């Protein structure tokens, strides 16, 4: 099997790390991999904060939905959607700088996502586990102050890295949806509910009754939880801040 494809297939989220440190050489390789990612117009509409301060890690663990493993991770990277450098250079060399709007934020977010995943795949190839932390979207105003962020920089993705424990290495990767259920040819095929149930039963390996209980619990944990309300509030604040 192609080595890169194999690493992508083997990669799973790791939330428990061994005491083995990430070396400076390994860290640099992961960061260099991020910088090699495709980016809109080669603008690199992102920046990376390497969070080394332990007190900041512990604060992030609380602010990002109370997840203690964040504070224990040897390496914590925050990927910022960052248009500030281009805004500043445009103002320096052009007479009329257009106002940055929603599409500019989304484009910067795309650059962030691609760079972060390059880092994750590179880490996997080095035997280093990782976990995306979407909860960095919460508490925007607090994170803005914590990191000293100017107007056009927004915490978009956080990833924690570390060498996985033996248990994490041996833990089964959750099954993904089938390719045939995820790929549409030319046009989107909206499944009827029986097709959708079948898709979820295959992925979860549950019968319909068990699937019903699972989906109800999942909805309660993800969509009716306090963090979800805070994330929505925070994202609205981000967009208002960006375009005002």
């Amino acid at each position: 099997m192609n080595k890169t494809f194999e690493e992508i297939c083997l990669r799973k989220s790791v939330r428990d790390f061994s005491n083995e440190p990430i070396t400076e050489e390994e860290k640099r390789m992961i960061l260099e991999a991020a910088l090699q990612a495709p980016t809109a117009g080669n603008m690199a509409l992102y920046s990376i904060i390497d969070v080394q301060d332990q007190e900041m890690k512990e604060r992030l663990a609380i602010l990002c939905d109370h997840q203690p493993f964040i504070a224990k991770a040897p390496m914590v990277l925050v990927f910022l959607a960052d248009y500030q450098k281009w805004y500043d250079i445009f103002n320096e060399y052009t007479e009329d700088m257009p106002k940055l709007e929603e599409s500019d934020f989304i484009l910067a977010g795309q650059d962030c996502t691609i760079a972060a995943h390059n880092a994750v795949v590179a880490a996997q190839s080095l035997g280093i586990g990782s976990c995306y932390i979407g909860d960095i979207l919460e508490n925007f105003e607090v994170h803005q102050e914590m990191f000293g962020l100017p107007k056009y920089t927004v915490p978009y993705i956080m990833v924690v890295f570390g060498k996985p424990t033996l248990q994490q290495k041996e833990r089964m990767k959750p099954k993904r949806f089938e390719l045939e259920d995820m790929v549409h040819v030319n046009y989107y095929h909206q499944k009827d509910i029986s097709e959708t149930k079948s898709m979820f039963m295959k992925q979860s390996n549950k019968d319909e009754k068990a699937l019903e209980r699972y989906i109800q619990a999942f909805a309660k944990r993800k969509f009716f939880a306090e963090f979800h309300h805070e994330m929505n509030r925070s994202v609205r604040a981000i967009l208002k801040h960006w375009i005002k």
Side-chain angles (χ1 to χ4, degrees):
M1 184 184 293
N2 175 278
K3 183 64 175 173
T4 303
F5 182 72
E6 181 181 14
E7 295 291 1
I8 290 171
C9 290
L10 289 174
R11 190 265 164 195
K12 56 181 180 283
S13 294
V14 173
R15 296 177 176 86
D16 190 17
F17 308 109
S18 71
N19 294 325
E20 186 179 358
I22 293 174
T23 67
E24 286 302 314
E25 182 182 6
E26 290 169 332
K27 175 185 281 192
R28 186 168 185 85
M29 289 175 70
I30 291 168
L31 291 169
E32 287 285 0
L35 266 60
Q36 294 304 315
T39 168
N42 197 30
M43 294 174 75
L45 298 174
Y46 66 92
S47 290
I48 305 169
I49 294 180
D50 176 12
V51 183
Q52 299 184 12
D53 183 82
Q54 187 58 38
E55 288 187 7
M56 292 180 74
K57 288 184 182 181
E58 290 169 4
R59 196 173 181 203
L60 286 168
I62 294 170
L63 290 167
C64 296
D65 201 32
H66 300 277
Q67 300 184 82
F69 73 91
I70 294 171
K72 298 177 181 177
M75 184 165 76
V76 175
L77 300 181
V78 177
F79 290 79
L80 306 173
D82 180 7
Y83 225 115
Q84 191 66 49
K85 53 184 173 286
W86 282 95
Y87 182 82
D88 293 343
I89 202 73
F90 283 149
N91 273 327
E92 178 69 16
Y93 291 125
T94 65
E95 293 183 4
D96 186 23
M97 174 60 198
K99 179 184 176 183
L100 296 180
E101 300 193 56
E102 293 92 338
S103 64
D104 303 298
F105 174 68
I106 290 175
L107 199 63
Q110 290 175 346
D111 273 13
C112 257
T113 304
I114 300 165
H117 202 61
N118 253 31
V120 163
V121 173
Q124 175 69 25
S125 74
L126 297 170
I128 296 170
S130 61
C131 185
Y132 282 97
I133 311 294
D135 301 279
I136 194 65
L137 289 172
E138 298 178 52
N139 298 299
F140 165 60
E141 300 88 346
V142 182
H143 291 143
Q144 185 184 31
E145 181 181 357
M146 181 191 303
F147 296 122
L149 301 179
K151 181 175 175 61
Y152 293 115
T153 54
V154 172
Y156 198 82
I157 295 171
M158 183 163 72
V159 188
V160 299
F161 299 84
K163 306 286 178 70
T165 62
L166 180 61
Q167 183 275 335
Q168 288 286 295
K169 288 179 182 179
E170 295 179 345
R171 179 176 60 84
M172 186 73 70
K173 178 177 179 174
K175 184 181 178 184
R176 300 319 198 212
F177 287 110
E178 300 287 340
L179 185 149
E180 292 75 17
D181 289 323
M182 294 293 290
V183 179
H184 305 250
V185 179
N186 295 327
Y187 303 99
Y188 183 84
H189 168 66
Q190 185 173 359
K191 299 174 175 59
D192 61 36
I193 193 59
S194 63
E195 291 176 302
T196 301
K197 286 180 180 179
S198 175
M199 172 183 175
F200 276 85
M201 285 190 285
K202 284 187 293 182
Q203 184 266 343
S204 64
N205 196 30
K206 300 179 188 300
D207 61 27
E208 186 171 352
K209 197 64 181 174
L211 178 65
E212 180 181 7
R213 293 192 297 270
Y214 167 73
I215 294 298
Q216 289 172 347
F218 193 91
K220 183 177 180 180
R221 180 166 59 91
K222 284 287 187 181
F223 295 101
F224 300 106
E226 182 60 34
F227 86 88
H228 190 249
H229 299 305
E230 164 53 28
M231 188 177 290
N232 283 326
R233 184 212 63 79
S234 186
V235 169
R236 286 191 292 268
I238 288 169
L239 290 173
K240 183 178 179 181
H241 171 83
W242 184 276
I243 66 176
K244 70 180 179 182

